[in-house]
Amino acid sequence: MESTYEPPSRAIGTREILIAMRRSWALVLACAVLGGLALAGLTMWLQPQTYTSTAVLLVNQEVASDLLHPLPQQDDPDRVIENETTFAESRSVEVRAEDELGFEASITATPRAAADVLEITATEETAERSQQVASAFTTAYLDLRVEADQALLDQNIRALEDETEQLKIEMDAATNAAARDRLMARIEEYERSINELRVSSYAATGGVVVVAEPDLPPEPTSPNTVRNGLIGVILGLALGTTLAVVRFGTDDRVRSPAEIEAALPGVVVLGEVPHLPAPGTNGVPQVLDDETTTGDSVPYRDLASAIQNRLSGRDPRLVVVLGLDDTIAVGELVGRVALANARTGKNTIAIDANLTAPSLHRVFGTSDSPGILSLSRGESTPWEAFRKVDFASNMRLLTADADATADPGLLFGEEASRFFQTVGLLDQDFLALIAGPDLDAGGPALASALEAAVVIVVREGSSRLTRVREALRRFDRVGLEVAGLVLDREHPVSS
């Protein structure tokens, strides 16, 4: 069976992104945490601490307009606030404030939206300095506004006084009583205006009132560690998600039967079984007896039925079950599938051909001898080696003798003829399931010697499709039939 597998090309949509994030949640979380810590720490290291102090001023539109603008512009409040902002940031205010401070400084004047309010803000390296600068600029701005107010009032008073003197001259020259009365009325009106302006000059404020004095900031406003940390978390999430999506798009690990069959045209997934820890990785296998596997036998019974269907018309029905790696408990899997098949009333043989890590005898709680080695060496008869299972009368068991020094190639040499002849003489009605060694430990050679069909067990989330492809090509080169794949699931298998 020649596989034309190519690494899968996946269209990335919202669903795929969510799947990628779920599969690589640890990576995404690590990037988010590290991003937040890194950006917050970097800004704290590179950016000096600064403190901000602000004075809040209320601008009296009418007075300010009278003082600074001609009458036609009094109805434009935005223009008044804009001019006040420009004046607060002017060089004249800056020079006056720096003379008081004794050092160079600057502020920012900002009008508050939809209000006649002006904010003068100073940003400095210490809290005290920021308050000092804001206070100095506020005082300088107010003083210059008062001076401008006083100068304008004085100018208006002088203009009215000159006009009054001129009216008095005209009144002295007038001969008509009515004309003299009119001139006297105008003189009195001007004198009242002069008195009002003089009263205003005593209380001149420049049209600006301080609403809030510059405060002493309790903590730095920059760098904003919380804000920078949140930005770092967001950037880290984006980076982690990108890496997760890239990993998802290039990941060829086995995930589901649909992915296997889509990526490997012509390959049949015979079934799914729950993961069974391999011997030596997580304790010993569960011992099977008449009471066990009744509740979880459905996946194994379905797998046995699928194998039977794939081998329909083939005699003898010999199947070598091989794990793609050593994390798969092939021996226990073969035992459970064989038992499930036998419980349907079919004759079944389970054989352990893994000489380096035998496990089938532990699965059934029996002795490992006599077994394949004893049979191959002529130390036992087939009827002694092929033992009946007490709680499944139509099932026989051939174990692998425990011999740490045994050469795995023993089953493929001349000494193996007795074993092969025995298997060949078995009742043709039997389904023989053989737990073979790993792919790299003689599994293909065993299957080739027996001329048996092959079932490859792949592990969900661990086995890679590229390795499955290599195994398929390996069997195809020696002319062996791969009946199909079995998916060893990490998650529960629905029955």
Side-chain angles (χ1 to χ4, degrees):
M1 180 189 309
E2 178 66 23
S3 171
T4 57
Y5 169 74
E6 296 295 338
S9 175
R10 294 172 173 152
I12 303 298
T14 303
R15 178 176 177 273
E16 287 72 23
I17 292 176
L18 293 176
I19 293 175
M21 292 180 67
R22 185 178 71 249
R23 290 182 181 177
S24 301
W25 65 268
L27 172 64
V28 175
L29 179 61
C31 287
V33 173
L34 292 177
L37 293 176
L39 188 58
L42 189 63
T43 53
M44 290 180 64
W45 180 47
L46 296 179
Q47 186 176 355
Q49 285 188 341
T50 56
Y51 294 80
T52 298
S53 181
T54 301
V56 181
L57 311 176
L58 177 65
V59 178
N60 187 321
Q61 292 275 4
E62 293 183 1
V63 175
S65 297
D66 290 339
L67 295 177
L68 293 179
H69 314 297
L71 291 178
Q73 295 184 353
Q74 290 183 12
D75 295 333
D76 188 358
D78 292 337
R79 181 67 176 272
V80 173
I81 292 295
E82 180 181 345
N83 287 342
E84 292 297 326
T85 302
T86 302
F87 179 66
E89 293 180 336
S90 66
R91 180 58 183 165
S92 57
V93 173
E94 182 177 348
V95 170
R96 176 74 64 89
E98 289 177 349
D99 288 343
E100 177 185 344
L101 291 169
F103 56 83
E104 294 184 356
S106 63
I107 54 91
T108 300
T110 307
R112 187 176 294 178
D116 297 335
V117 173
L118 184 66
E119 295 180 348
I120 294 180
T121 302
T123 301
E124 296 291 334
E125 294 181 357
T126 65
E128 294 76 9
R129 186 181 174 104
S130 67
Q131 183 185 38
Q132 182 183 8
V133 171
S135 298
F137 271 82
T138 300
T139 301
Y141 167 69
L142 292 175
D143 289 346
L144 287 174
R145 294 300 297 111
V146 170
E147 292 174 8
D149 187 1
Q150 186 66 55
L152 186 55
L153 288 172
D154 291 344
Q155 178 183 347
N156 290 338
I157 289 173
R158 286 195 298 272
L160 289 174
E161 288 177 341
D162 291 344
E163 187 68 23
T164 301
E165 291 299 324
Q166 183 62 35
L167 291 175
K168 287 181 179 180
I169 294 173
E170 292 179 6
M171 187 181 68
D172 291 340
T175 57
N176 188 310
R180 290 174 60 85
D181 291 340
R182 286 194 302 272
L183 291 171
M184 178 57 69
R186 291 182 62 188
I187 291 172
E188 292 176 352
E189 179 182 354
Y190 280 13
E191 287 178 343
R192 285 195 300 271
S193 296
I194 291 172
N195 292 331
E196 290 175 358
L197 288 174
R198 283 174 176 165
V199 171
S200 297
S201 68
Y202 293 125
T205 62
V208 181
V209 178
V210 178
V211 177
E213 296 286 348
D215 57 334
L216 181 66
E219 57 185 21
T221 55
S222 178
N224 191 327
T225 305
V226 175
R227 181 197 62 194
N228 295 338
L230 290 175
I231 294 175
V233 168
I234 294 173
L235 294 177
L237 281 174
L239 175 61
T241 301
T242 301
L243 294 176
V245 170
V246 171
R247 173 187 286 184
F248 174 79
T250 58
D251 185 12
D252 70 339
R253 285 178 293 179
V254 172
R255 299 290 183 183
S256 67
E259 284 190 7
I260 295 174
E261 294 178 348
L264 302 170
V267 174
V268 176
V269 178
L270 299 171
E272 305 173 52
V273 294
H275 177 64
L276 303 170
T281 61
N282 190 20
V284 297
Q286 177 187 9
V287 176
L288 304 182
D289 54 34
D290 197 30
E291 301 298 327
T292 58
T293 72
T294 55
D296 61 353
S297 62
V298 174
Y300 305 104
R301 188 173 63 245
D302 292 345
L303 177 56
S305 176
I307 293 175
Q308 292 269 24
N309 292 334
R310 288 289 293 174
L311 299 182
S312 178
R314 179 187 176 108
D315 292 317
R317 285 173 294 168
L318 304 180
V319 180
V320 174
V321 182
L322 303 174
L324 198 64
D325 56 61
D326 57 7
T327 65
I328 300 171
V330 175
E332 186 173 356
L333 173 61
V334 164
R336 287 175 176 267
V337 175
L339 182 58
N341 188 66
R343 283 177 170 167
T344 64
K346 297 181 175 63
N347 296 327
T348 310
I349 298 176
I351 302 174
D352 192 348
N354 190 344
L355 301 183
T356 57
S359 61
L360 196 58
H361 63 284
R362 293 201 298 268
V363 173
F364 285 89
T366 185
S367 171
D368 62 334
S369 182
I372 286 181
L373 291 180
S374 301
L375 180 62
S376 299
R377 294 166 178 167
E379 298 171 356
S380 64
T381 66
W383 315 117
E384 294 173 333
F386 284 89
R387 284 166 285 173
K388 289 185 178 181
V389 177
D390 294 337
F391 48 89
S393 59
N394 57 336
M395 178 177 173
R396 291 183 181 273
L397 182 67
L398 177 60
T399 63
D401 311 61
D403 186 350
T405 63
D407 180 6
L410 178 63
L411 294 182
F412 322 128
E414 294 180 358
E415 293 179 308
S417 59
R418 186 187 302 270
F419 166 65
F420 294 137
Q421 291 171 4
T422 302
V423 173
L425 293 175
L426 290 175
D427 187 334
Q428 302 301 300
D429 188 40
F430 275 83
L431 170 65
L433 296 171
I434 305 170
D438 297 336
L439 284 174
D440 298 328
L446 173 65
S448 180
L450 289 174
E451 297 182 355
V454 177
V455 170
I456 302 176
V457 186
V458 296
R459 186 173 177 185
E460 176 193 21
S462 176
S463 300
R464 295 191 176 275
L465 291 170
T466 49
R467 180 158 167 74
V468 177
R469 178 193 60 179
E470 293 170 0
L472 294 174
R473 288 179 174 175
R474 187 172 176 180
F475 287 113
D476 185 71
R477 283 195 296 267
V478 296
L480 286 176
E481 174 190 356
V482 176
L485 304 183
V486 175
L487 182 59
D488 183 338
R489 296 297 299 265
E490 289 289 346
H491 304 92
V493 178
S494 58
S495 58

